[in-house]
Amino acid sequence: MRRRTGQWPSIGVLLFTIGLLLLLPLLGVGVVQWQISAKRVEAAGDVSVASAKLETLVRLRSGLSAEQISSSWRLVNGGFVGDFPRNGAEMVGVDFAESYEQDRNTVNRHLADLGDPALTEAVAMVRNRSAGTTDIETLGAEYDDVIELVIDKSNRELQVLIEAATGADSTDVAVAAQVAEAAARVEISSGALGGGWASVAAAPFIQPYPAQVRDLADVVAVYEDHVRKVEQIVPTSGPVAEEWAAFVESDARRNALAIYEETIMGFVRNGVPEPDPTTEGFDLTGTDLRDVLELAAEMNESLGDWRVMTAEVGRVVDASLLEVREAADRSLADASRDQNVTVGWILVTGVIGIGATIALMVLVARPLQRLADTAQELGKGRLATRLEERGPAEIRVSARALNEAMASLQTAEAQAIALAEERLDDLVISAAAPGQLGASLHAAVTRLARNLAEREQFQQRLAHEAAHDGLTKLPNRNAVLRHLDSAIARTRRSETSLALLFIDLDEFKAINDRYGHQAGDKVLQETARRLLASIRDGDLAGRLGGDEFLVVAEPIAGIHEVSNLAERIQENVTRPIVLDGVTVVPKISVGIGLADGSLSAEELLRDADLAVYRAKSMGKGTIDICDENLRGEVRARDEMELAIRQALDNDLFELHYQASVNAATKEVTAFEALLRWDRPGYGRVPPDVFIPVAERTELIVDIDRWVLNAAVAQLKEWADHPDLADVMVAINISSRHLGSGQLNNDVRAALETHGVDPQRLSLEVTETAILEDMIAAGRELSALRDHGVQISLDDFGTGYMSLAHLRGLPVDSLKIDGSFVAAMEDDADYTLIHLIVKTGHLLNVTITAEGVETERQATLLTEMGCDSLQGFLYSRPVSAAATEVWMADHRPVASLNI
């Protein structure tokens, strides 16, 4: 039975497929082995990470217990309860405040190493709540909640460690992890001993609850149970065994356990009295002070033993976790080696298999080469070539078929030429070539006319796609502008009006960033669909590009009609859109340009663009219509930009300087350089008029550079002045300059050009400028601060910067905004300023208050602890020459009449 032509693939494909089928099982085994090794590598890495985190959590647990105890001692020493004397620390020989501060710093260090925001916030909250209580029981309960949270996290991390150790497939790792787990539980339970004992040890003065005594007994039992478990699995030699032996034989541990058990047995023998509900806190009535102090000294000594015992078991945990990491490193090395061996085996097997397959293909395909060469000549159109019909039977059959095909193609070529030249009556068109191929080619000639018609349709489709957006299928920018040109011509002839609506999706970038570009594309497509459903018959909707759309509405009866259309579009487009289960509510701003035939398409597009820009500046999600006032604003802004450029080119700006004084001594600490401009023909232009215009463009960066160079040059000039040689000058930096990446280079260039000490220059940046890109701003400011330049945070309090933001910024000083100073008589503003001062000092930054105009304000700010004051009370901004005069006799600038 003969197989039909085309049933089998080519010989080369068959050979390659067979070789691949033989090679795939071997490669599959290698890949599986590689995946097993990869999982071991990942598990070993997880062991190292989990052990490091567990170590920090255990340290944090002990640190919190110590902080709880020292906090309780500090509370007692402060005289909040009972009649315990304020100088009790000196009499006992313990500095409770220093102990509390050390414990608090230890906890802060562990929190920083852990990097757990939830845990950090929980500790901060309990400290804040505890700061306002005088009740030791309340204080203990607050800390117990946080300690329980740490214990829960420690237990979860222990579970992660054990699971990762199991996944590492290493006996050493698993054994070391079990020892580390048991030792960690000993340390966790030992952390509860000190506080539990302290809560019941003061029985002569504080009535313990029976539950507290039982809790202490339970904690001791749990602790001893964990110790026994470690004893069962601890190795007989090595660092862990040595540390464990030192811990077990420790005098501090023996003394601490002895007093814990003695305390418990004392209550077992004598019983625990029920608490007296009429007694709160300490009851020292009739109690000799010496007894109180002796008990405090005894408790302090016992707690010292507890701290030593906790530190010793901590060393056991450290040694066991180190053993875990070392075992994990060995497992990681073994798994990595296995991975490399597996990869090598896969590569060698693949190379050998593919090489053998290629060799077989070459050997089999050689006899077919001559046939392929001839076929290639045929493919190049050389139809006169003839193939010798010799060789194996298969080759001879193929050669004969090729020769017949070339003859048929020669006939088809002549027919195609005649058809292309439209010689439809040529006899060659009706000539049939020999063989089946000839018949097929003749049929192809008859189909050519039909193909020509199809090509015309295809060209029309291409023309449509060239004029339409591929994503939304709406007309694109070019198509809309062509339509708009025609529409303007029609309105000119008919003396009617039309409107162009510019629709801009607000915050579309946020949708792309949050949900991905596919979600953004769906929003654009749905917006296009809703636009089409909103416009009138005869109107045209198109996509300008990105998230911008256009609607050409013609004709319109007036502003009322186009406003209704814009509102209908806004209502439909801003309905919620569901994207893969997530609901997105788009917002749009609409700008409207009106034309009666007097404007071109580009001019009308410009008007609509101006209107949508103003709509977005008014808060987004609004509709605005371009009018003559808006065009006038644009012309005025353009004129202002040109005037600013000319002022920069002609050096028409000037710097005035306003002093800051030390709040306590009233000595001058620095000057702020403030920009002034006398515009030719207009007079003095306030900064709040021309600076916003400059901030819209790169002009603000050029202004910053001018101010920077002028201020540094003035510092250089003042270097020889007896009163100003060491003065510091502060300049304001725009957010655009800060985000440009050029600020560091510009500042260094100015300082080097004029040879000025960087410590005499201070840069003032606003909160909003930093919040635009915290990472980039922090990097740029850190580089400048490392160079010696001072960094000041200006208008602090107006940008809603959080304390977390402030802690991570390279800032030397804060400037309280003048609006708070002006309203500081209000309790809320007074409290806010006081909070800013305290927060700044906690972060080791100086505080300057701006806008000080009255002695009352100065007195209040000084009492709060402000470091420097600035305002009209001390000086007004004046020229450099006037500053020198004022500095010489230190009289108020206003009295100089300059």
Side-chain angles (χ1 to χ4, degrees), residues 335-350:
S336 299
R337 185 174 58 255
D338 292 344
Q339 267 190 309
N340 295 333
V341 172
T342 302
V343 170
W345 183 84
I346 292 174
L347 291 176
V348 171
T349 304

Side-chain angles (χ1 to χ4, degrees), residues 82-85 202-206 282-295:
D83 297 319
F84 196 84
F205 313 109
I206 300 177
F282 278 98
D283 183 10
L284 301 180
T285 305
T287 301
D288 188 71
L289 179 59
R290 179 178 301 173
D291 295 336
V292 178
L293 297 178
E294 287 177 355
L295 174 63

Side-chain angles (χ1 to χ4, degrees), residues 301-487:
E301 180 181 359
S302 176
L303 290 175
D305 289 338
W306 168 75
R307 290 177 184 269
V308 174
M309 178 184 69
T310 302
E312 289 173 342
V313 74
R315 286 192 288 272
V316 176
V317 174
D318 293 342
S320 60
L321 289 175
L322 178 60
E323 188 71 24
V324 170
R325 288 193 286 273
E326 291 176 349
D329 290 342
R330 292 193 296 272
S331 176
L332 176 63
D334 293 340
S336 299
R337 185 174 58 255
D338 292 344
Q339 267 190 309
N340 295 333
V341 172
T342 302
V343 170
W345 183 84
I346 292 174
L347 291 176
V348 171
T349 304
V351 169
I352 294 175
I354 294 174
T357 302
I358 293 175
L360 183 62
M361 291 172 61
V362 171
L363 291 175
V364 174
R366 187 179 299 276
L368 300 176
Q369 186 63 49
R370 292 192 304 273
L371 186 62
D373 291 341
T374 304
Q376 188 176 19
E377 291 294 311
L378 175 61
K380 294 178 180 179
R382 299 168 184 170
L383 303 180
T385 305
R386 288 294 179 268
L387 181 65
E388 296 183 5
E389 299 178 9
R390 63 184 180 83
E394 293 82 358
I395 299 298
R396 293 197 303 272
V397 172
S398 300
R400 189 179 304 113
L402 274 176
N403 289 334
E404 290 179 358
M406 285 188 286
S408 300
L409 289 174
Q410 283 181 313
T411 302
E413 182 181 39
Q415 291 173 337
I417 292 173
L419 192 61
E421 295 175 354
E422 298 184 0
R423 292 184 282 109
L424 301 180
D425 54 349
D426 196 317
L427 294 178
V428 72
I429 294 179
S430 60
Q436 184 63 36
L437 177 60
S440 299
L441 291 174
H442 186 65
V445 170
T446 59
R447 292 197 300 270
L448 185 57
R450 184 166 64 251
N451 291 340
L452 290 175
E454 293 175 355
R455 185 182 65 178
E456 180 66 22
Q457 295 175 357
F458 178 70
Q459 290 176 339
Q460 293 175 355
R461 186 165 64 252
L462 286 179
H464 178 271
E465 292 177 355
H468 288 74
D469 173 54
L471 177 65
T472 63
K473 309 307 178 186
L474 293 178
N476 57 23
R477 175 191 176 97
N478 292 334
V480 172
L481 292 181
R482 285 196 299 270
H483 177 84
L484 189 56
D485 279 329
S486 301

Side-chain angles (χ1 to χ4, degrees), residues 98-109:
E98 180 180 357
S99 176
Y100 171 76
E101 193 63 24
Q102 291 175 351
D103 293 336
R104 184 184 178 99
N105 291 336
T106 299
V107 170
N108 290 341
R109 186 173 65 256

Side-chain angles (χ1 to χ4, degrees), residues 52 164 387 481 602 733 736 803 811:
L387 181 65
L481 292 181
E602 290 291 346
I733 296 299
R736 189 184 290 268
L803 179 59
V811 174

Side-chain angles (χ1 to χ4, degrees), residues 104 158 192 200 247 278 378 381 426 497 544 559 580 598 694 835 870:
R104 184 184 178 99
L158 283 170
V200 301
F247 163 69
T278 64
L378 175 61
D426 196 317
S497 298
L544 184 61
I559 294 178
D580 298 329
S598 60
L835 177 61
Q870 179 181 350

